[in-house]
Amino acid sequence: MKNNEQKVMLTGVRPSGNLTLGNYLGAIKNFVTRQAQYKSYIFVADLHAITSPRDPAELRIAVNDCIAMYLACGVDPEQTIVFRQSDVLEHGIMGFIMTFQTHMGELSRMTQFKLKSQNVGKNGIDTGLFVYPPLMSADILLYNTDIVPVGLDQQQHVELTRDLAQRFNKRYGDTFNEPDVYIAPVGNKILNLQNPTEKMNKSDGPNPGTIFLMDDLKLVRKKIMSAVTDSESVVRFDEEAKPGISNLISILAATTGESIESIEKRFVGHGYGEFKREVADAVCNLIGNIQTKHQQFKNPDVLDAILTAGAERARIVAAETLNRARVALGLK
Ligand code: ATP
Ligand code: LTN
């Protein structure tokens, strides 16, 4: 599909709550550090937020908060196309097309679906939860994406996207670029500090095990100092036997760039208190900088201008790809 043109990177976040340290280390940071090397797109996946019923006023606020947070985390709108998914109508039609390329069995095997469909309301499982992976595939394929930086929980969805692109190309002729996933070696699955066998999720809401990028720094420190550990008192990376300490090592390594081995070595003979203080210092330093920048990006007019310009640029590429898919399908 591609000649020598610039490679494309894309990622998105669901506006389902305030962004967490997990969202930053698992996805946003890896996007920001690479944005200059690619033709880059980042969007707020608001259609993905209505997979379950949501308060419209809260959703509107969450979208703006998410954009402001992208900018505070270092997304540069001069370099990167920043947009809201629902502003580019092509996502809906392409999502519909990709849903029809997908098998029930494939969607039933999605780990996220299995996990999230455990807490269902009295009306049963929302179909949105079931069919959102092909919408995510549409998001990716519309922009001829080469690389998708995401956390580990989203790897399976990007792999499905590759399968769907291949399937479509085989059936209807070369139409889509096949994307690769980028999973950071460290920080790809940050765990809840109080329950370090579960992922840290933004939709869990305020709780002592989740660090939000907007948390007061005193609270961040308190959450880290009271993180669940073990009784061994050795700072050693062992996800099975020592999930709490391993999670804190991953957080420190992903935040500072220091290797896990080097952290283990430096803390030989030191206690958990000292180790946790260093993790808290590093995370507060990171989050403090993000919060300072966030102040500058709260103006809704500035955010609107960025989103309007971003959607215009995104739409051009999305329309082109959708057109190609329609022609291939015989819909045009
Ligand atoms: P929700 O609670 O609504 O499922 P979430 O916190 O899992 O939200 P998403 O919007 O699903 O966040 O994901 C945004 C990006 O952040 C994705 O690339 C996802 O893989 C990544 N991500 C989410 N949580 C973590 C985590 N704990 N560690 C690493 N990456 C994460
Ligand atoms: N499904 C993802 C958010 C998301 C996404 C995307 C990420 C929607 N479309 C495209 C990367 C690329 C989630 O729930 N975290």
Side-chain angles (χ1 to χ4, degrees):
M1 276 289 312
K2 283 247 170 118
N3 357 354
N4 278 337
E5 70 220 72
Q6 201 183 11
K7 297 253 180 199
V8 176
M9 173 173 71
L10 169 140
T11 201
V13 174
R14 292 188 330 137
S16 54
N18 292 320
L19 299 198
T20 69
L21 183 65
N23 298 139
Y24 178 77
L25 296 177
I28 300 173
K29 175 179 182 231
N30 303 306
F31 180 92
V32 167
T33 52
R34 286 169 183 76
Q35 66 185 331
Q37 298 160 37
Y38 290 87
K39 175 163 188 191
S40 303
Y41 297 85
I42 194 163
F43 66 101
V44 181
D46 57 349
L47 292 174
H48 290 268
I50 56 166
T51 47
S52 337
R54 226 160 260 286
D55 178 71
E58 272 177 24
L59 179 57
R60 266 190 291 274
I61 293 170
V63 169
N64 270 7
D65 280 354
C66 190
I67 298 291
M69 216 20 122
Y70 282 163
L71 302 175
C73 290
V75 169
D76 176 1
E78 299 287 321
Q79 225 158 43
T80 289
I81 298 178
V82 184
F83 67 102
R84 172 171 37 208
Q85 183 190 25
S86 66
D87 280 343
V88 182
L89 298 181
E90 283 76 4
H91 285 255
I93 308 175
M94 189 63 101
F96 192 76
I97 292 174
M98 295 325 292
T99 303
F100 294 171
Q101 311 304 318
T102 317
H103 307 308
M104 295 281 285
E106 282 171 321
L107 296 182
S108 317
R109 282 194 293 278
M110 292 291 129
T111 315
Q112 285 292 300
F113 170 71
K114 287 196 254 179
L115 276 174
K116 298 205 172 189
S117 56
Q118 276 166 5
N119 322 318
V120 287
K122 60 178 179 353
N123 296 324
I125 300 168
D126 292 317
T127 12
L129 207 55
F130 191 62
V131 297
Y132 100 93
L135 177 60
M136 176 164 165
S137 300
D139 302 337
I140 296 169
L141 298 175
L142 275 173
Y143 300 96
N144 309 311
T145 306
D146 293 291
I147 178 173
V148 188
V150 282
L152 199 58
D153 61 313
Q154 296 299 318
Q155 179 168 19
Q156 207 184 15
H157 296 155
V158 182
E159 283 166 0
L160 173 73
T161 304
R162 274 186 81 83
D163 291 347
L164 296 184
Q166 268 168 18
R167 186 173 303 159
F168 191 102
N169 289 345
K170 218 163 153 195
R171 274 189 194 151
Y172 302 107
D174 211 4
T175 308
F176 295 126
N177 195 58
E178 290 170 25
D180 286 315
V181 69
Y182 175 80
I183 305 282
V186 187
N188 58 46
K189 188 176 178 185
I190 302 298
L191 305 172
N192 185 295
L193 301 177
Q194 287 300 316
N195 187 3
T197 52
E198 298 292 327
K199 187 173 88 74
M200 186 182 279
N201 294 316
K202 68 171 121 57
S203 59
D204 287 345
N207 72 82
T210 303
I211 297 180
F212 292 96
L213 298 179
M214 282 314 288
D215 272 348
D216 183 88
L217 295 186
K218 280 200 193 106
L219 182 61
V220 172
R221 190 169 288 278
K222 189 170 166 204
K223 286 178 177 177
I224 293 174
M225 294 310 291
S226 40
V228 167
T229 53
D230 53 69
S231 54
E232 197 192 40
S233 247
V234 177
V235 178
R236 180 170 61 83
F237 191 85
D238 180 341
E239 287 174 303
E240 291 270 303
K242 297 165 71 69
I245 283 295
S246 303
N247 189 34
L248 290 172
I249 295 177
S250 295
I251 290 175
L252 183 58
T255 303
T256 61
E258 186 177 358
S259 72
I260 290 177
E261 298 71 37
S262 157
I263 294 170
E264 284 177 330
K265 263 198 208 136
R266 272 199 310 113
F267 281 94
V268 170
H270 297 263
Y272 284 170
E274 206 176 323
F275 170 61
K276 281 177 162 178
R277 264 194 299 282
E278 189 167 322
V279 178
D281 287 344
V283 172
C284 285
N285 183 34
L286 169 79
I287 293 188
N289 288 334
I290 293 177
Q291 290 180 359
T292 308
K293 278 208 197 154
H294 186 260
Q295 291 298 328
Q296 307 159 19
F297 296 117
K298 285 204 312 208
N299 183 339
D301 295 337
V302 174
L303 299 183
D304 271 355
I306 290 174
L307 289 181
T308 306
E312 267 170 27
R313 293 171 71 191
R315 217 173 277 132
I316 296 170
V317 180
E320 232 173 68
T321 312
L322 179 62
N323 193 48
R324 214 165 50 235
R326 288 179 65 190
V327 170
L329 284 164
L331 294 175
K332 235 186 155 182

